[in-house]
Amino acid sequence: MAENCYEYVNENLRAIRENIAETAEKCGRCTDSVRLMAVTKTVAPEIVNHAVSLGLTLLGENRVQEFLSKQEVYEKSAQIHFIGHLQTNKVKYIIEPVSVIQSVDSLKLAQEINRLAIAHNKIMDVLCEVNIGGEDSKSGVSPDNLKRLLEQISGMEGIRVKGLMTIPPPSDSDIFLGRMEELFNKIKSAGIQNVSMDELSMGMTHDYQQAIIHGATIVRIGTGLFGKRNY
């Protein structure tokens, strides 16, 4: 069974890499400008480690408790980003082991990350999560409030803003990916001090190729790589 799982991941990863390279080339981008993140929610650590052995170096974790139960088993060569909704009382558990928190969406959360980062003598790289579709069911700062939040975070000593993250509505995804690209470029042009727009994290299994066309630097793929977790 394990061998079948590994071969399944092998084939999926091969296809995803080909799609990324082909899409990047079509829109005049270098393949290396797009990083593939393996989203590991509910995936067994040994399967994740197999993906890492194939050269995947970026993992995305959605849930604090699940991550804590698996982190010691993970291959240490992989970089881990936290991409799920994060409560302030859970920040203390991930402030050390993760390299980027992609889901900063409020001043309160940023303040707690900043406090704990300073206490741990580190600077935490973060992305601000934007609710580009204005969906009640999703986290994220509204596009209208994003610039203000970034300005508030920019003065924090323990945080370094590296870009933006979003999960667009599955219907009309291409439209919202385009809006996110426009917002990203607008924020970049604003030149907010101590805020860089190096990363645009968007695109999942169903829309990662469209996301690349709209400037994504990180695409987050779980189901397309690992399947529906039915093994």
Side-chain angles (χ1 to χ4, degrees), residues 35-66:
R35 288 193 290 166
L36 171 60
M37 170 184 285
V39 178
T40 56
K41 182 171 65 177
T42 75
V43 181
E46 59 269 22
I47 303 297
V48 176
N49 285 342
H50 175 69
V52 173
S53 76
L54 300 174
L56 268 174
T57 59
L58 186 56
L59 307 181
E61 291 287 329
N62 290 81
R63 300 167 179 166
V64 172
Q65 288 305 122
E66 181 184 349

Short mmCIF file of all heavy atoms in Angstrom, two decimals, residues 35-66:
data_model
loop_
_atom_site.label_atom_id
_atom_site.label_comp_id
_atom_site.label_asym_id
_atom_site.label_seq_id
_atom_site.Cartn_x
_atom_site.Cartn_y
_atom_site.Cartn_z
N ARG A 35 7.14 28.86 -6.53
CA ARG A 35 7.45 27.76 -5.62
C ARG A 35 6.20 26.93 -5.34
O ARG A 35 5.11 27.48 -5.15
CB ARG A 35 8.00 28.30 -4.30
CG ARG A 35 9.41 28.84 -4.41
CD ARG A 35 10.02 29.05 -3.04
NE ARG A 35 9.38 30.15 -2.33
CZ ARG A 35 9.53 30.37 -1.03
NH1 ARG A 35 10.26 29.55 -0.29
NH2 ARG A 35 8.93 31.40 -0.46
N LEU A 36 6.40 25.64 -5.32
CA LEU A 36 5.30 24.71 -5.03
C LEU A 36 5.30 24.37 -3.55
O LEU A 36 6.30 23.89 -3.01
CB LEU A 36 5.48 23.43 -5.86
CG LEU A 36 4.55 22.26 -5.52
CD1 LEU A 36 3.08 22.64 -5.69
CD2 LEU A 36 4.89 21.05 -6.37
N MET A 37 4.18 24.64 -2.91
CA MET A 37 4.00 24.27 -1.51
C MET A 37 3.12 23.02 -1.42
O MET A 37 2.04 22.97 -2.01
CB MET A 37 3.33 25.40 -0.73
CG MET A 37 2.89 25.00 0.67
SD MET A 37 2.02 26.32 1.54
CE MET A 37 3.40 27.39 1.94
N ALA A 38 3.58 22.03 -0.67
CA ALA A 38 2.78 20.85 -0.41
C ALA A 38 1.93 21.10 0.84
O ALA A 38 2.47 21.31 1.93
CB ALA A 38 3.68 19.63 -0.18
N VAL A 39 0.62 21.12 0.67
CA VAL A 39 -0.29 21.34 1.79
C VAL A 39 -0.56 19.99 2.45
O VAL A 39 -1.10 19.08 1.82
CB VAL A 39 -1.60 22.01 1.32
CG1 VAL A 39 -2.56 22.19 2.49
CG2 VAL A 39 -1.29 23.36 0.68
N THR A 40 -0.20 19.88 3.72
CA THR A 40 -0.08 18.57 4.35
C THR A 40 -1.22 18.20 5.30
O THR A 40 -1.11 17.23 6.05
CB THR A 40 1.25 18.51 5.12
OG1 THR A 40 1.29 19.59 6.05
CG2 THR A 40 2.42 18.65 4.17
N LYS A 41 -2.29 18.96 5.28
CA LYS A 41 -3.42 18.70 6.18
C LYS A 41 -3.92 17.26 6.04
O LYS A 41 -4.26 16.83 4.93
CB LYS A 41 -4.56 19.68 5.89
CG LYS A 41 -5.77 19.53 6.81
CD LYS A 41 -6.76 20.67 6.62
CE LYS A 41 -7.37 20.66 5.24
NZ LYS A 41 -8.39 21.73 5.08
N THR A 42 -3.93 16.52 7.12
CA THR A 42 -4.38 15.12 7.25
C THR A 42 -3.49 14.11 6.51
O THR A 42 -3.82 12.93 6.47
CB THR A 42 -5.85 14.92 6.79
OG1 THR A 42 -5.92 14.95 5.36
CG2 THR A 42 -6.78 15.95 7.39
N VAL A 43 -2.37 14.54 5.97
CA VAL A 43 -1.48 13.62 5.26
C VAL A 43 -0.49 13.02 6.26
O VAL A 43 0.10 13.72 7.08
CB VAL A 43 -0.71 14.35 4.14
CG1 VAL A 43 0.20 13.37 3.40
CG2 VAL A 43 -1.69 15.00 3.17
N ALA A 44 -0.31 11.71 6.19
CA ALA A 44 0.61 11.02 7.09
C ALA A 44 2.04 11.53 6.90
O ALA A 44 2.47 11.77 5.77
CB ALA A 44 0.56 9.52 6.84
N PRO A 45 2.79 11.69 7.98
CA PRO A 45 4.15 12.24 7.89
C PRO A 45 5.06 11.47 6.94
O PRO A 45 5.89 12.07 6.26
CB PRO A 45 4.66 12.15 9.33
CG PRO A 45 3.45 12.15 10.18
CD PRO A 45 2.40 11.44 9.38
N GLU A 46 4.90 10.14 6.88
CA GLU A 46 5.79 9.38 5.99
C GLU A 46 5.53 9.70 4.52
O GLU A 46 6.45 9.67 3.69
CB GLU A 46 5.65 7.87 6.24
CG GLU A 46 4.26 7.30 6.06
CD GLU A 46 3.44 7.29 7.34
OE1 GLU A 46 3.75 8.09 8.26
OE2 GLU A 46 2.50 6.47 7.41
N ILE A 47 4.28 10.02 4.20
CA ILE A 47 3.96 10.42 2.83
C ILE A 47 4.53 11.81 2.54
O ILE A 47 5.08 12.08 1.47
CB ILE A 47 2.43 10.42 2.59
CG1 ILE A 47 1.83 9.04 2.91
CG2 ILE A 47 2.12 10.81 1.16
CD1 ILE A 47 2.34 7.92 2.04
N VAL A 48 4.42 12.70 3.52
CA VAL A 48 5.00 14.04 3.38
C VAL A 48 6.51 13.93 3.20
O VAL A 48 7.10 14.57 2.32
CB VAL A 48 4.68 14.90 4.61
CG1 VAL A 48 5.38 16.26 4.51
CG2 VAL A 48 3.17 15.10 4.75
N ASN A 49 7.15 13.08 3.99
CA ASN A 49 8.60 12.93 3.89
C ASN A 49 9.00 12.35 2.54
O ASN A 49 10.08 12.68 2.02
CB ASN A 49 9.11 12.03 5.02
CG ASN A 49 9.13 12.74 6.36
OD1 ASN A 49 9.08 13.98 6.42
ND2 ASN A 49 9.19 11.98 7.44
N HIS A 50 8.16 11.51 1.99
CA HIS A 50 8.44 11.00 0.65
C HIS A 50 8.44 12.14 -0.36
O HIS A 50 9.33 12.22 -1.23
CB HIS A 50 7.43 9.93 0.24
CG HIS A 50 7.60 9.46 -1.17
ND1 HIS A 50 8.69 8.71 -1.57
CD2 HIS A 50 6.85 9.67 -2.29
CE1 HIS A 50 8.60 8.46 -2.86
NE2 HIS A 50 7.50 9.03 -3.32
N ALA A 51 7.47 13.03 -0.25
CA ALA A 51 7.42 14.19 -1.15
C ALA A 51 8.67 15.05 -0.98
O ALA A 51 9.23 15.55 -1.96
CB ALA A 51 6.16 15.01 -0.87
N VAL A 52 9.11 15.22 0.26
CA VAL A 52 10.32 15.98 0.51
C VAL A 52 11.53 15.32 -0.15
O VAL A 52 12.40 15.99 -0.71
CB VAL A 52 10.56 16.14 2.03
CG1 VAL A 52 11.92 16.79 2.31
CG2 VAL A 52 9.44 16.97 2.66
N SER A 53 11.55 13.99 -0.13
CA SER A 53 12.66 13.26 -0.75
C SER A 53 12.70 13.46 -2.26
O SER A 53 13.75 13.25 -2.90
CB SER A 53 12.56 11.76 -0.43
OG SER A 53 11.55 11.12 -1.21
N LEU A 54 11.59 13.89 -2.84
CA LEU A 54 11.51 14.15 -4.28
C LEU A 54 11.88 15.59 -4.61
O LEU A 54 11.78 16.00 -5.77
CB LEU A 54 10.10 13.85 -4.79
CG LEU A 54 9.60 12.41 -4.61
CD1 LEU A 54 8.13 12.29 -5.02
CD2 LEU A 54 10.45 11.44 -5.41
N GLY A 55 12.28 16.33 -3.61
CA GLY A 55 12.74 17.69 -3.85
C GLY A 55 11.78 18.78 -3.43
O GLY A 55 12.07 19.97 -3.65
N LEU A 56 10.65 18.42 -2.83
CA LEU A 56 9.73 19.44 -2.32
C LEU A 56 10.29 19.99 -1.01
O LEU A 56 10.50 19.24 -0.07
CB LEU A 56 8.34 18.84 -2.08
CG LEU A 56 7.36 18.95 -3.25
CD1 LEU A 56 6.08 18.19 -2.91
CD2 LEU A 56 7.02 20.39 -3.53
N THR A 57 10.50 21.28 -0.96
CA THR A 57 11.16 21.86 0.21
C THR A 57 10.26 22.82 0.98
O THR A 57 10.71 23.45 1.93
CB THR A 57 12.42 22.62 -0.21
OG1 THR A 57 12.06 23.65 -1.16
CG2 THR A 57 13.43 21.68 -0.85
N LEU A 58 8.99 22.92 0.58
CA LEU A 58 8.09 23.88 1.22
C LEU A 58 6.79 23.18 1.60
O LEU A 58 6.08 22.65 0.74
CB LEU A 58 7.80 25.03 0.25
CG LEU A 58 6.99 26.21 0.78
CD1 LEU A 58 7.65 26.82 2.01
CD2 LEU A 58 6.82 27.27 -0.31
N LEU A 59 6.48 23.18 2.91
CA LEU A 59 5.28 22.53 3.42
C LEU A 59 4.35 23.58 4.02
O LEU A 59 4.80 24.53 4.66
CB LEU A 59 5.64 21.51 4.51
CG LEU A 59 6.68 20.45 4.16
CD1 LEU A 59 6.90 19.51 5.36
CD2 LEU A 59 6.26 19.64 2.93
N GLY A 60 3.05 23.38 3.83
CA GLY A 60 2.05 24.28 4.39
C GLY A 60 1.18 23.57 5.41
O GLY A 60 0.57 22.55 5.10
N GLU A 61 1.15 24.11 6.62
CA GLU A 61 0.37 23.52 7.71
C GLU A 61 -0.85 24.39 8.03
O GLU A 61 -0.73 25.60 8.17
CB GLU A 61 1.24 23.37 8.96
CG GLU A 61 2.33 22.32 8.85
CD GLU A 61 1.78 20.91 8.90
OE1 GLU A 61 0.75 20.69 9.57
OE2 GLU A 61 2.38 20.01 8.28
N ASN A 62 -2.01 23.74 8.17
CA ASN A 62 -3.26 24.45 8.43
C ASN A 62 -3.68 24.49 9.89
O ASN A 62 -4.36 25.42 10.32
CB ASN A 62 -4.41 23.80 7.65
CG ASN A 62 -4.32 24.01 6.16
OD1 ASN A 62 -3.59 23.31 5.47
ND2 ASN A 62 -5.06 24.99 5.66
N ARG A 63 -3.33 23.46 10.64
CA ARG A 63 -3.84 23.31 12.00
C ARG A 63 -2.70 23.16 12.99
O ARG A 63 -1.82 22.33 12.82
CB ARG A 63 -4.74 22.08 12.08
CG ARG A 63 -5.95 22.14 11.15
CD ARG A 63 -6.61 20.78 11.04
NE ARG A 63 -7.79 20.81 10.18
CZ ARG A 63 -8.39 19.73 9.70
NH1 ARG A 63 -7.92 18.53 10.00
NH2 ARG A 63 -9.44 19.84 8.93
N VAL A 64 -2.75 23.95 14.03
CA VAL A 64 -1.66 23.95 15.00
C VAL A 64 -1.49 22.59 15.66
O VAL A 64 -0.37 22.05 15.72
CB VAL A 64 -1.88 25.04 16.08
CG1 VAL A 64 -0.85 24.91 17.20
CG2 VAL A 64 -1.83 26.43 15.46
N GLN A 65 -2.58 22.02 16.16
CA GLN A 65 -2.47 20.75 16.89
C GLN A 65 -1.96 19.63 16.00
O GLN A 65 -1.13 18.82 16.42
CB GLN A 65 -3.82 20.37 17.50
CG GLN A 65 -4.24 21.22 18.69
CD GLN A 65 -3.18 21.24 19.79
OE1 GLN A 65 -2.70 22.31 20.17
NE2 GLN A 65 -2.83 20.09 20.31
N GLU A 66 -2.43 19.58 14.77
CA GLU A 66 -1.97 18.54 13.85
C GLU A 66 -0.48 18.72 13.56
O GLU A 66 0.28 17.75 13.55
CB GLU A 66 -2.77 18.57 12.55
CG GLU A 66 -2.33 17.48 11.58
CD GLU A 66 -3.05 17.54 10.24
OE1 GLU A 66 -4.03 18.29 10.12
OE2 GLU A 66 -2.60 16.85 9.32
#
